[in-house]
Amino acid sequence: MIQAIGLTSNARQELPPAVDDVSFEARTGRVTALLGAEAAGKTTALRLMLELQQGRGVTYFRGRPLHRIAQPSREVGVLLGEVPGHPARSVRNHLRMLCAAVAVPITRADDVLEAVGLVSLRDQHLGTLSSGMDRRLGLACALLADPHALVLDGPAEGLSARESAWLHEILRAHADQGGTVLFTTDDPKEAARTADRVVTLDEGRLIADQEATDFARTRLRPRVVVLTPHAARLGALLTKEARAARKPVEVVREEGNRLSVYGSNCAEVGETAYRHGILVHQLADELGDAGPSAPPGPPTQPKLSAEPALAVALTASGECRPAGVHGPAQARVGLPAPPAQTRDEPQPQPQPPTTRAKEDAQAQSATTGHAPLAQLEGSPPAQADIDTPSRNGDTPQQPLDTTTTAQAEPEAAAAAQTEPDAAAPALTEEGEAEPSRAETAAIRLVPLRDADRAPLPQDDSTAPRTGGPHPPAPPPPTPASALPPPIAVRPGRTPLWPLRYELRRLAGVGTGYLTLAAVLAASAVISLVVARVGHTPQPRLLAAWPNALPLPPAALGAGLLGALAFGDEFRYPALAADRGTVPRRLSLLAAKLLVAAATALLLGALAVGADAALLHLVYGEELVGVPGDWLVLCASWVALLTGCAWAGVLAAGVFRSTTAGLAAVLAVPILVVPVVQKAVDGPAVRSAAGFPGRLRDLALVQWPFGSERILAAGVRMLAQPVGTALMLSLTTLLCAYLLTTVRGRVR
């Protein structure tokens, strides 16, 4: 169960907040739709609920706010926009990388790929996926940790009618298994068709919270859509005939040559057009959106619609009134169209406006079931039997009050329902065939087995959906508190398996392999050119490091791979999809440093081996002999490569950019080394001569295996300008990273 209380976004200069005091519930075992126009505040409300945006309010997920849940990814599956993954990464590798982030077995990736129908595209790159396939991948990422709740922002955007029907079957299956589903949409018909409860936002405020059946009755009105080049003439004829027959027919002129006729049917409109010889391009029955209801409060004057003067409504007494006063404009302010009445029938007396508390209580009343598809769009009964009884023990409640907004459906809605052949497939508005019940019956979500879950701290919020006691719902804030509690953006806690995550991140993209090939090729070419010119020591020859270059190719490649370790995280924030920021955990930093060092050593060994083999092949054995101080040279080579790789990792983590990480690596020999060298070569009274001998005298016993020589070589290496500069740079970057991490946690 999800409870959002008092969600309010921060003020935007002189503009009102995008979300203002929004409170609603999404119950377990039910599908809840958050409906609103493009700028109604739906996405902002979700970001406030998920603590991705600062504001005020509190949201409870089964009794706990998100920052108090040990593993949020196992409680809430999130889909916000496109999948933030590297475009060169395959679908399967992306999910496997996220498996390590949420601590589930790698086989879970194949399970969710099969559940969302992406098995055939598992080797496809993310950058080549269509919008529909990207939505499927986003749903797979949300289902990866088998969460209890799904929070999806516009999951059906960019999907065809058939794909949208499939998606909503997936959401229905998740709710039927005991989960909670909350999704946003701007299509009222989609909300009424697929949700159990509809929460309507308008300009950042909650204006309706009702069952789908009540929503369909009060918000959606049957109408006849006519497309004709003679729209004005046909509208005038329909209005004239309705006035003569005293029928409550309303004609609204829309954009272009399109008419919307309320209170009639296709047969009557078609006969009128035929009798007067009017060409009709389109004639169809559909459900029209009557607009959002007015917010609770004192009654206000209805807004006049912006339709042309052709739009008139005929009342029972024969009066013609503008459509902006009655009809669609009435529905926009929360008043349904009055049913057909005769002149002798008594007119209903207007009821006094209800108080805000009474309307809020009515909005919170919950009745079970959702509107079948056949009741909304006239589809066959075989497609409409998807209604289910109350789920998860929810007890139906009766409405607390009956107001004029809960009147009976218009008679035209019942007349529009026909009895077609049950075997015929239902057609969507786009003309595509919806999937039949036989096709969608096989859709079942594969839950994560308890044996596959990683051990977690004791937290009752991570209990399975289908069992275990649920914590009691927290009470709402007391009226004594003037404002709801503030919402702070907190860093995420993933990945849970950082070393596995980093290895899969590095191996899943071809950048590392391309860097390795480029470094080996450049090192081989440089070593051959330097050997031909001569006057270069053998160690620098094997490392392909002439005096003209600030760093050898292997060191530059190690620094680039280290910079990519954090640079790709901020450019393609796969870990920040549901938490807003890339996590700055020390475990993630340690994993990146370890993997970067291992990659740098492998790169350096391959470069030296390739250079030696090529020099032996071209110039003979005289250039590839083993030097006498090979142990010290190897230690210096390892330290140089590891230092460059770590400098790239730390700089990219501090400055959030791959370019900044590589620039920090190049700044060591170009900027820092000259400064250190000038300081070392300056005038001095004393020097550190004889330091290795005095270091050996500190030991009470003999150093084993000649370790004093290795220690002395390390000291000499640090005493050199390059070693000193690299050590200073690493120390500075590490302190900056720790300071940034601590500051983020304090905030």
Side-chain angles (χ1 to χ4, degrees):
M1 184 175 182
I2 303 176
Q3 294 174 295
I5 303 173
L7 297 180
T8 305
S9 61
N10 292 335
R12 302 168 296 173
Q13 297 180 354
E14 298 180 356
L15 300 176
V19 174
D20 187 9
D21 194 18
V22 172
S23 302
F24 63 92
E25 292 183 357
R27 299 194 173 187
T28 302
R30 313 191 74 192
V31 179
T32 304
L34 191 60
L35 176 67
E38 184 176 354
K42 306 184 298 297
T43 302
T44 303
L46 294 189
R47 293 182 63 85
L48 290 173
M49 294 171 60
L50 299 172
E51 299 178 0
L52 301 179
Q53 182 173 331
Q54 294 182 353
R56 306 199 72 88
V58 63
T59 303
Y60 295 103
F61 296 88
R62 287 199 292 181
R64 291 190 178 187
L66 198 61
H67 64 272
R68 294 190 178 275
I69 299 176
Q71 304 302 334
S73 58
R74 297 191 178 180
E75 178 64 30
V76 187
V78 179
L79 173 60
L80 299 176
E82 297 180 353
V83 177
H86 196 290
R89 195 181 304 276
S90 66
V91 172
R92 190 179 188 184
N93 287 334
H94 181 77
L95 289 177
R96 287 185 171 186
M97 183 183 70
L98 295 183
C99 284
V102 298
V104 296
I106 196 173
T107 56
R108 179 66 178 171
D110 297 327
D111 294 340
V112 295
L113 282 176
E114 184 177 358
V116 301
L118 288 179
V119 177
S120 60
L121 300 179
R122 59 186 177 184
D123 296 328
Q124 196 88 0
H125 290 173
L126 299 186
T128 62
L129 295 179
S130 63
S131 59
M133 296 301 103
D134 186 84
R135 286 291 173 179
R136 293 193 180 216
L137 178 59
L139 182 60
C141 296
L143 294 171
L144 196 61
D146 191 24
H148 173 268
L150 290 179
V151 177
L152 314 175
D153 185 19
E157 292 182 3
L159 301 184
S160 63
R162 187 178 184 86
E163 289 175 333
S164 298
W166 169 87
L167 171 67
H168 292 297
E169 287 289 343
I170 287 283
L171 301 184
R172 174 60 58 190
H174 184 82
D176 289 343
Q177 293 177 6
T180 304
V181 177
L182 173 65
F183 73 94
T184 66
T185 179
D186 55 0
D187 186 3
K189 290 181 285 186
E190 177 189 2
R193 255 197 324 264
T194 59
D196 301 315
R197 193 167 188 85
V198 181
V199 179
T200 306
L201 297 181
D202 186 25
E203 297 182 355
R205 298 187 64 88
L206 179 67
I207 62 173
D209 187 355
Q210 53 193 156
E211 293 295 317
T213 52
D214 298 333
F215 171 81
R217 182 174 63 249
T218 58
R219 174 75 179 262
L220 300 179
R221 297 178 59 194
R223 66 181 178 183
V224 179
V225 177
V226 187
L227 186 63
T228 173
H230 309 286
R233 181 186 173 195
L234 180 59
L237 292 173
L238 292 174
T239 303
K240 180 180 179 181
E241 292 184 0
R243 185 184 297 110
R246 298 186 179 277
K247 292 183 178 180
V249 176
E250 181 180 352
V251 182
V252 178
R253 176 76 177 272
E254 299 181 356
E255 297 180 358
N257 297 325
R258 182 183 174 98
L259 293 177
S260 292
V261 183
Y262 297 91
S264 184
N265 53 53
C266 286
E268 295 179 355
V269 174
E271 290 176 0
T272 301
Y274 178 77
R275 286 196 306 268
H276 295 85
I278 297 178
L279 178 64
V280 174
H281 293 161
Q282 180 184 1
L283 186 64
D285 283 320
E286 67 174 32
L287 289 175
D289 180 18
S293 303
T300 58
Q301 294 296 329
K303 301 178 182 179
L304 293 179
S305 63
E307 285 85 1
L310 172 64
V312 296
L314 184 66
T315 62
S317 59
E319 300 178 3
C320 291
R321 296 175 181 173
V325 178
H326 295 287
Q330 257 188 334
R332 276 195 292 270
V333 297
L335 301 177
Q341 298 177 354
T342 61
R343 181 171 298 187
D344 298 333
E345 292 178 350
Q347 301 293 331
Q349 298 296 328
Q351 299 182 3
T354 59
T355 62
R356 182 181 180 88
K358 196 171 185 180
E359 292 183 355
D360 291 342
Q362 180 186 4
Q364 294 296 332
S365 63
T367 56
T368 60
H370 62 282
L373 187 61
Q375 295 181 5
L376 299 178
E377 296 208 10
S379 57
Q383 295 284 338
D385 57 356
I386 61 174
D387 197 7
T388 56
S390 60
R391 302 177 181 87
N392 212 36
D394 291 339
T395 306
Q397 301 177 3
Q398 297 298 330
L400 300 179
D401 185 31
T402 303
T403 62
T404 57
T405 60
Q407 297 180 3
E409 293 188 54
E411 296 180 359
Q417 298 184 5
T418 58
E419 297 294 335
D421 186 7
L427 297 179
T428 62
E429 295 179 1
E430 290 80 359
E432 300 183 8
E434 290 186 351
S436 62
R437 296 290 296 178
E439 295 176 357
T440 58
I443 298 179
R444 293 293 182 269
L445 301 182
V446 181
L448 186 63
R449 297 185 298 272
D450 294 337
D452 294 336
R453 296 180 182 271
L456 299 174
Q458 295 297 328
D459 187 359
D460 52 1
S461 65
T462 58
R465 294 194 302 267
T466 56
H470 288 211
T478 59
S481 60
L483 293 174
I487 298 175
V489 178
R490 297 174 175 85
R493 302 177 181 178
T494 55
L496 301 180
W497 294 342
L499 188 58
R500 297 186 190 181
Y501 169 82
E502 183 60 22
L503 289 174
R504 292 170 186 171
R505 184 205 63 79
L506 179 63
V509 181
T511 306
Y513 305 105
L514 293 177
T515 303
L516 177 62
V519 165
L520 294 180
S523 181
V525 172
I526 292 175
S527 63
L528 287 178
V529 174
V530 172
R532 181 178 179 84
V533 174
H535 308 291
T536 301
Q538 184 187 14
R540 282 183 167 264
L541 188 61
L542 292 176
W545 190 5
N547 294 327
L549 293 180
L551 288 174
L556 289 176
L560 176 60
L561 291 178
L564 287 172
F566 257 128
D568 283 348
E569 296 286 1
F570 292 102
R571 188 176 181 183
Y572 310 106
L575 292 180
D578 58 342
R579 302 301 302 133
T581 58
V582 175
R584 290 182 175 272
R585 296 182 60 193
L586 294 182
S587 59
L588 179 61
L589 175 63
K592 289 185 178 297
L593 293 178
L594 181 60
V595 173
T599 306
L601 295 182
L602 176 62
L603 184 61
L606 292 177
V608 171
D611 294 345
L614 192 59
L615 289 174
H616 179 272
L617 179 63
V618 177
Y619 298 109
E621 298 181 358
E622 59 179 352
L623 297 179
V624 294
V626 178
D629 55 346
W630 64 272
L631 188 60
V632 176
L633 293 175
C634 288
S636 302
W637 182 242
V638 168
L640 178 64
L641 295 177
T642 304
C644 290
W646 286 1
V649 172
L650 292 173
V654 171
F655 300 107
R656 299 172 175 262
S657 171
T658 303
T659 305
L662 188 58
V665 175
L666 290 174
V668 172
I670 296 177
L671 300 178
V672 184
V673 168
V675 175
V676 174
Q677 192 169 9
K678 184 179 294 186
V680 172
D681 295 341
V685 178
R686 295 181 178 86
S687 63
F691 177 75
R694 292 190 297 272
L695 188 63
R696 287 195 299 268
D697 295 339
L698 292 177
L700 300 178
V701 295
Q702 188 68 22
W703 291 64
F705 306 108
S707 301
E708 70 277 4
R709 292 183 301 171
I710 301 177
L711 183 59
V715 172
R716 286 197 301 269
M717 181 183 64
L718 292 178
Q720 295 177 0
V722 176
T724 304
L726 191 58
M727 182 60 64
L728 289 175
S729 300
L730 288 177
T731 304
T732 304
L733 291 173
L734 182 59
C735 292
Y737 184 88
L738 295 178
L739 179 62
T740 306
T741 303
V742 172
R743 184 183 64 179
R745 291 184 177 180
V746 171
R747 291 176 59 187

